[in-house]
Amino acid sequence: MLSGAAKSHQSVLAIPQSLAQWQSEPGQVISWKPCASSLESFARAEIVDIPPSHQQEQHLLSFQARHTKKTDFERLIIVRWQLPGHCDIKSLTDAIHFHLHSHDTYHSWLSMGEDKAITRRLLDNPATIKLEPCHEGWMNAEELITHLAQTPPPTEWGCFQIGIIQTTHFFTLYACIDHLYTDSFLIPILHQDLVTSYKLLTHGAGILGTERSSYLDYCKQQRAFTDGLSPDHPLMAQWLEILKQWNGALPIFPLALGEINHEDPAVMQSLSLFNSVESLAVQKAFKQERIPFVFGLMSALAVVEHQLTGKQEAGFLTPISTRKSKSDQNTLGWYTGVVPCQAALGSRPWSDVARDLQASFRRNRALADLPLECVLTRATTDDIADSGHQMGYMVSYMDTSFPPLHGDFSNQYWQNNSSVFMNVGSSSQVALWFTRSPSGLSVTASHPNTTQAVTSILGLVAEVRIHCLELSHRASTRS
């Protein structure tokens, strides 16, 4: 998600790693599982006329397709924190219930029939959701990875796991949530609901109340908006025009990826671009041209791609949150949309490319409110090269100095030795997550599991670093 380019953009702190990279000391594992009465309540819950969001529908369809082919599917967001001492089970149980009862994304169960129709069963009383601690025994890191990978699928209610790993002097609290329930705003929200609430409860204080929105209301509003769209609606027409400029297909990563086996899981690798001093020097170079850091960085990426491949236009998708209100910012749900970004390349100065990317983002910002899934499924064969469900080249930027990442949350996040993980699914495309923090700038790349893809990513990142440091050197000689 973009942040830092304008105060209206909200992002979340996430330096994702592959679940396979999980490292933790062995310890006693306790997980909180739904009580039988809670599962029975969902089975009896009334079917309601609240559709899934487009994001949720595509998630379920994609899961079903991958499950049928027995291929891996990227669906889990895992956050963990390290807390001192021995866990107060009662306090953590209360914090978990507070979290689950506060967000209506958990209050219903989406199921898919053989005809791919999706129904939603909704609880009358969220307080009937109750979890109980279950002792899982002693686990090492490898066993914990297997445990998390066995999180129930999104076709079942309760496709999440919350638990702890208790060691002698500290415990690791983890939450593993299926994407069906949420986007990556999960990270600050979980920190507030679980970690902060736990600390307050163990010190005899009460949990802080927070104004929330309703994700179910968002689902209804989104569908009401998209159901009424005609092909000549300005947003639909704008999306289709961009797809036309991209020859009817989403943009792809321009460097070679090698021969891809679509059934193989993707690979994630995290790389450091700049330390804190280098990051500030690069920022100074961008600032001399009055260019926000995010668009200076994306310009560097685009210019280097041109140098390596000769491509004449930068094109990628960038995810942003479509949350509008302050209460939305505190609400769990899948609100993420994507914005297409474009700029002509050739021999143009990097600063011109950066300004064009910034203008493109601003011009296309409203397209995030029209889900790409909706556009692709409604487009005709004259508009797109394939029937849909394509995967495009994704570039994301996050900055921990902007809300809701800055201040107390950012400080506590690092103090609690927090980490973010994702399970990795099969992929034929590339996603890049750039994250700027007090320690500098890093990038995590998800890409196909080929030697050529690894070489291309490493080469690209190395050249982006060289390009930016050259800009900072030239800027320093002018100042």
Side-chain angles (χ1 to χ4, degrees):
M1 294 182 182
L2 281 179
S3 70
K7 292 299 179 71
S8 62
H9 305 155
Q10 298 290 334
S11 70
V12 293
L13 179 60
I15 307 174
Q17 303 174 67
S18 166
L19 177 57
Q21 296 173 286
W22 177 290
Q23 294 292 327
S24 60
E25 290 190 24
Q28 292 288 343
V29 174
I30 301 174
S31 64
W32 275 254
K33 296 184 176 180
C35 299
S37 59
S38 294
L39 296 176
E40 291 169 4
S41 296
F42 273 102
R44 295 193 306 266
E46 182 181 351
I47 295 176
V48 294
D49 187 22
I50 302 176
S53 65
H54 283 282
Q55 297 95 318
Q56 288 180 317
E57 180 182 36
Q58 187 57 51
H59 183 72
L60 288 171
L61 288 170
S62 297
F63 171 79
Q64 196 65 36
R66 298 289 180 88
H67 180 70
T68 300
K69 295 179 180 178
K70 294 183 169 30
T71 56
D72 293 320
F73 181 58
E74 182 181 298
R75 67 182 183 91
L76 302 175
I77 307 172
I78 304 128
V79 193
R80 72 177 186 191
W81 308 263
Q82 197 174 93
L83 300 172
H86 280 72
C87 178
D88 182 326
I89 300 298
K90 170 70 166 60
S91 294
L92 185 53
T93 302
D94 290 345
I96 291 170
H97 285 150
F98 168 72
H99 173 69
L100 295 174
H101 296 165
S102 297
H103 301 277
D104 66 5
T105 189
Y106 293 116
H107 301 167
S108 61
W109 168 32
L110 293 171
S111 58
M112 181 185 296
E114 292 184 4
D115 60 354
K116 298 185 179 179
I118 298 172
T119 57
R120 186 190 295 271
R121 294 181 180 272
L122 179 64
L123 285 180
D124 289 332
N125 180 13
T128 59
I129 298 176
K130 294 187 182 298
L131 273 62
E132 55 188 0
C134 301
H135 291 263
E136 306 281 1
W138 187 271
M139 290 189 192
N140 58 27
E142 185 176 348
E143 292 166 328
L144 208 285
I145 290 171
T146 301
H147 173 70
L148 293 174
Q150 293 172 346
T151 297
T155 49
E156 298 179 18
W157 182 81
C159 48
F160 59 83
Q161 293 199 70
I162 302 174
I164 66 164
I165 311 165
Q166 182 68 62
T167 64
T168 304
H169 302 294
F170 66 88
F171 67 95
T172 297
L173 168 62
Y174 62 83
C176 177
I177 314 294
D178 193 284
H179 219 328
L180 182 77
Y181 290 127
T182 183
D183 54 26
S184 51
F185 257 67
L186 169 81
I187 301 160
I189 292 173
L190 270 179
H191 187 277
Q192 179 66 30
D193 287 0
L194 294 186
V195 178
T196 301
S197 296
Y198 172 80
K199 291 179 178 179
L200 288 170
L201 289 168
T202 55
H203 286 83
I207 296 175
L208 298 175
T210 304
E211 183 183 1
R212 317 274 189 186
S213 297
S214 165
Y215 184 65
L216 297 184
D217 284 349
Y218 170 82
C219 293
K220 291 185 286 187
Q221 292 161 6
Q222 184 196 62
R223 288 289 181 163
F225 168 61
T226 59
D227 287 350
L229 285 181
S230 62
D232 58 353
H233 185 280
L235 292 183
M236 182 69 80
Q238 189 175 348
W239 256 123
L240 293 178
E241 176 59 29
I242 291 171
L243 287 171
K244 181 179 178 181
Q245 294 169 14
W246 284 339
N247 297 317
L250 297 179
I252 62 173
F253 183 68
L255 277 68
L257 296 175
E259 186 174 344
I260 300 169
N261 183 340
H262 296 279
E263 296 184 359
D264 285 347
V267 171
M268 291 183 73
Q269 53 179 328
S270 298
L271 306 164
S272 174
L273 265 78
F274 315 129
N275 60 31
S276 58
V277 175
E278 292 168 336
S279 184
L280 290 173
V282 171
Q283 175 179 291
K284 184 177 179 181
F286 295 160
K287 194 172 182 180
Q288 281 190 1
E289 297 289 339
R290 298 185 177 181
I291 293 171
F293 191 95
V294 54
F295 294 110
L297 175 65
M298 289 186 173
S299 169
L301 180 67
V303 168
V304 167
E305 288 174 355
H306 166 71
Q307 293 170 349
L308 295 176
T309 68
K311 64 180 287 191
Q312 295 300 306
E313 182 181 280
F316 55 84
L317 304 172
T318 192
I320 65 170
S321 172
T322 60
R323 291 169 172 83
K324 309 296 184 186
S325 66
K326 184 176 180 181
S327 60
D328 288 347
Q329 309 296 328
N330 302 320
T331 303
L332 216 58
W334 198 340
Y335 292 83
T336 304
V338 296
V339 177
C341 295
Q342 306 159 282
L345 295 173
S347 58
R348 303 176 68 215
W350 72 270
S351 53
D352 288 352
V353 175
R355 292 187 183 95
D356 281 1
L357 285 171
Q358 184 175 13
S360 174
F361 176 82
R362 289 175 173 172
R363 184 171 60 250
N364 298 332
R365 168 66 179 83
L367 294 181
D369 291 321
L370 175 53
L372 181 56
E373 295 85 358
C374 179
V375 177
L376 294 176
T377 55
R378 295 189 184 192
T380 67
T381 53
D382 293 332
D383 297 317
I384 59 174
D386 196 2
S387 59
H389 310 323
Q390 308 169 66
M391 294 185 66
Y393 178 27
M394 195 79 67
V395 180
S396 173
Y397 173 79
M398 294 156 279
D399 192 324
T400 67
S401 64
F402 283 83
L405 312 180
H406 70 324
D408 289 342
F409 166 71
S410 181
N411 293 334
Q412 292 181 40
Y413 183 90
W414 300 113
Q415 289 172 5
N416 290 325
N417 196 23
S418 307
S419 305
V420 179
F421 299 85
M422 294 162 46
N423 75 307
V424 178
S426 56
S427 175
S428 60
Q429 261 310 306
V430 171
L432 301 176
W433 293 274
F434 291 93
T435 303
R436 192 176 183 200
S437 69
S439 61
L441 181 75
S442 65
V443 60
T444 295
S446 173
H447 57 80
N449 187 12
T450 67
T451 302
Q452 181 62 64
V454 173
T455 301
S456 292
I457 293 293
L458 291 176
L460 176 65
V461 171
E463 291 298 323
V464 169
R465 171 178 165 80
I466 291 170
H467 176 83
C468 290
L469 293 182
E470 286 178 349
L471 293 179
S472 68
H473 176 71
R474 290 202 296 268
S476 67
T477 60
R478 292 196 300 266
S479 60

